[in-house]
Amino acid sequence: MKKLILAFGCFALMVVGLISCGDGDRVDQIDNSIPAPQPVKVTNVKPIPGGAVLTIKIPNDANLKGVEAVFERNGTIVNQRVSRYIDTLLVEGYADDKEHEVKVYAFNTNEATSDPVVVKFTPLTPAIKTVKISLKETFGGVKIHVENNVDRADMGIILYADRNTTDINVAPNDRHWVEVTTLFTAAKEIYLTRRGMPAGKTLFRTVLRDHWGNLSEPVDTMLTPMAEDILDKNKFNYPEDFAKIDNTHASSSTYRISNLWDCKNYRPKDGSYGVNNSALFDAASGSPRPAWITIDLGQTVQLSRIGVTPRGDYLPWSGANVRCLDFWGWIGEGIPNTPVSSLTGTYPGNFEEGWVLLGQFEYKKPSGYLPNGAVGTITTDDREYYVNEAECEFDNTVNPHAFDAIRYLRVVFTDTFGTYGTNVTTSTYQLGELTPYGSIIN
């Protein structure tokens, strides 16, 4: 009897289900009594680089669902929709500054559309035609300078190389391009570096690619990357005598100077990132501004660059984290030995003869600082650069002694993010790691 009751119950539920699925109760049923919407009014057209912003007046129609722009881009029909509660339509992705046509429709809950409103406009010159790119050879690869990205467009920079030719005028069909890398940025101006490349004369090509796959005209450049090695940090040393010639010291034995080369705040080539919040150099509170330390590299080198790593991602772009550094090299006889108490005058003129300026570094915020030098909003690009990518690139056209052979390196802390723009004469300084690169002589 129980089985019969259960079977009857299931049958009844099926009948109810079939009845409830009838068209009369469907929420998505098309109501043919609803008329097509009235056309929208386009009240303003503002050209932008590669597109335009259309300002729209929405018809007073309770059944209106939204507005749609239909246009052709790169041979493909694009449908761009917004809801009825938004009064602007963004049309973008053009690779030229020619006149284009867009049809704008209103559509209702039945997906019925109004008559189109035809809008014609001429976009401003797109970013792939206004952004400038230049290449420069450096130790271990090339440096790409991206500038004039005034609208901070998302850009991909594709780098190709052809080592089979040493003639920049070789016929296009005789070139054998190999894609080296694609680098991305939305910064107004930035230097992007590709390392780990073999030394030797190479033909390079750079092409810009925007968010919609549009490509710029290629730029070909013949360059000769220079050989580069990472210095062996096991040879670095801080002799006791150097404490006499330096004007600052560690705040405690935990935050010693040698932490600057212990590789515990260094991002190795495998892409991992190790951070130990005790493995940093922290200068004693009340250290002079500027403050300096001197390092015996334990090898004679021509430095190409020095990677600068902060205290991991701890309070980025703020506080006692170092913002500005100067690097000096000793080319004098013997070992530097003039104690700080014997130095007179104002930095940078008070070092003994034999010290030469190699390079100066300030964290270059990809999104830019505020006009008064304040940090401002921190973007994803800013954080990535701060933690993983900052380095001081030496340039002998700026500092004539940049590539001189040295063994002793002086690091001068000129500003933290907290002291920048102030008149304070003392500070503390925090820094995670220094990673020098260059050509090792002996």
Side-chain angles (χ1 to χ4, degrees):
M1 179 63 72
K2 290 182 179 179
K3 291 182 179 179
L4 288 173
I5 293 172
L6 179 61
F8 179 79
C10 291
F11 176 75
L13 287 172
M14 289 174 63
V15 171
V16 171
L18 288 172
I19 293 173
S20 66
C21 289
D23 286 345
D25 292 329
R26 283 180 56 181
V27 296
D28 61 343
Q29 181 184 6
I30 293 176
D31 184 353
N32 292 322
S33 66
I34 298 177
Q38 294 297 308
V40 302
K41 291 183 180 180
V42 178
T43 60
N44 187 52
V45 179
K46 179 184 178 182
I48 61 174
V53 178
L54 313 182
T55 303
I56 302 162
K57 185 176 181 181
I58 305 296
N60 184 15
D61 184 343
N63 297 305
L64 192 69
K65 189 175 180 180
V67 178
E68 178 180 46
V70 180
F71 57 98
E72 182 178 338
R73 182 177 64 205
N74 298 335
T76 301
I77 299 300
V78 179
N79 301 77
Q80 186 83 11
R81 284 187 165 191
V82 295
S83 80
R84 62 177 295 171
Y85 303 106
I86 298 176
D87 63 358
T88 57
L89 256 171
L90 179 61
V91 178
E92 56 185 341
Y94 293 108
D96 56 47
D97 50 6
K98 299 177 182 179
E99 185 178 73
H100 291 275
E101 179 179 292
V102 177
K103 294 181 179 179
V104 183
Y105 302 84
F107 63 94
N108 63 19
T109 53
N110 284 347
E111 293 294 320
T113 59
S114 68
D115 292 333
V117 174
V118 178
V119 178
K120 295 183 179 181
F121 64 90
T122 301
L124 302 181
T125 306
I128 60 168
K129 290 190 174 183
T130 58
V131 173
K132 296 180 181 178
I133 289 188
S134 58
L135 265 68
K136 179 181 178 182
E137 60 199 15
T138 187
F139 288 83
V142 295
K143 176 174 280 192
I144 305 170
H145 187 196
V146 182
E147 55 185 330
N148 203 40
N149 188 10
V150 292
D151 294 304
R152 303 186 187 279
D154 286 320
M155 309 293 294
I157 299 96
I158 311 171
L159 178 67
Y160 299 91
D162 179 5
R163 300 201 68 200
N164 295 329
T165 180
T166 56
D167 181 6
I168 195 170
N169 297 313
V170 68
N173 291 338
D174 294 330
R175 296 180 178 181
H176 305 280
W177 296 115
V178 176
E179 184 173 338
V180 176
T181 189
T182 300
L183 305 168
F184 298 93
T185 185
K188 182 178 180 180
E189 180 179 4
I190 194 171
Y191 284 92
L192 301 170
T193 306
R194 178 58 164 85
R195 304 285 187 185
M197 304 185 68
K201 198 170 186 179
T202 305
L203 179 62
F204 292 96
R205 166 169 285 185
T206 49
V207 178
L208 284 171
R209 183 179 64 208
D210 67 14
H211 184 69
W212 301 272
N214 299 311
L215 301 176
S216 69
E217 289 296 321
V219 176
D220 296 344
T221 312
M222 187 70 72
L223 297 174
T224 305
M226 297 170 280
E228 182 185 60
D229 293 300
I230 185 171
L231 271 61
D232 183 356
K233 295 186 181 183
N234 291 320
K235 296 181 178 180
F236 293 10
N237 186 32
Y238 187 74
E240 289 185 9
D241 287 347
F242 280 9
K244 301 175 183 177
I245 66 174
D246 293 339
N247 69 348
T248 189
H249 57 275
S251 62
S252 73
S253 58
T254 300
Y255 303 112
R256 55 191 179 275
I257 291 173
S258 61
N259 286 356
L260 289 172
W261 56 85
D262 63 4
C263 293
K264 293 181 180 178
N265 273 284
Y266 163 62
R267 187 181 190 185
K269 291 181 180 179
D270 64 6
S272 62
Y273 186 70
V275 176
N276 184 323
N277 275 332
S278 296
L280 70 142
F281 168 62
D282 178 46
S285 179
S287 292
R289 179 185 178 210
W292 64 81
I293 59 172
T294 307
I295 304 170
D296 178 4
L297 299 177
Q299 55 212 297
T300 303
V301 299
Q302 290 176 286
L303 291 179
S304 58
R305 59 188 169 113
I306 296 180
V308 180
T309 307
R311 184 183 176 180
D313 200 13
Y314 180 77
L315 299 177
W317 302 94
S318 66
N321 289 307
V322 173
R323 175 168 172 166
C324 300
L325 289 166
D326 291 352
F327 296 101
W328 293 72
W330 173 255
I331 62 171
E333 296 292 332
I335 301 173
N337 58 12
T338 301
V340 65
S341 58
S342 300
L343 300 176
T344 59
T346 304
Y347 175 82
N350 59 346
F351 291 159
E352 63 189 293
E353 185 177 353
W355 286 105
V356 292
L357 182 63
L358 304 178
Q360 296 177 295
F361 167 82
E362 178 184 0
Y363 272 92
K364 299 296 184 184
K365 189 163 174 278
S367 67
Y369 291 105
L370 298 180
N372 64 356
V375 171
T377 302
I378 300 172
T379 67
T380 301
D381 276 352
D382 295 336
R383 188 176 295 272
E384 176 68 16
Y385 171 83
Y386 177 84
V387 176
N388 297 327
E389 300 176 5
E391 64 182 20
C392 178
E393 178 95 17
F394 297 156
D395 186 344
N396 62 355
T397 64
V398 177
N399 298 298
H401 294 282
F403 299 148
D404 283 9
I406 68 162
R407 172 167 173 162
Y408 303 100
L409 176 70
R410 178 160 286 175
V411 184
V412 182
F413 308 104
T414 56
D415 257 312
T416 67
F417 287 96
T419 64
Y420 189 87
T422 72
N423 294 320
V424 300
T425 57
T426 63
S427 180
T428 186
Y429 307 86
Q430 292 185 350
L431 192 64
E433 190 88 16
L434 293 173
T435 306
Y437 297 79
S439 291
I440 301 171
I441 299 173
N442 56 56

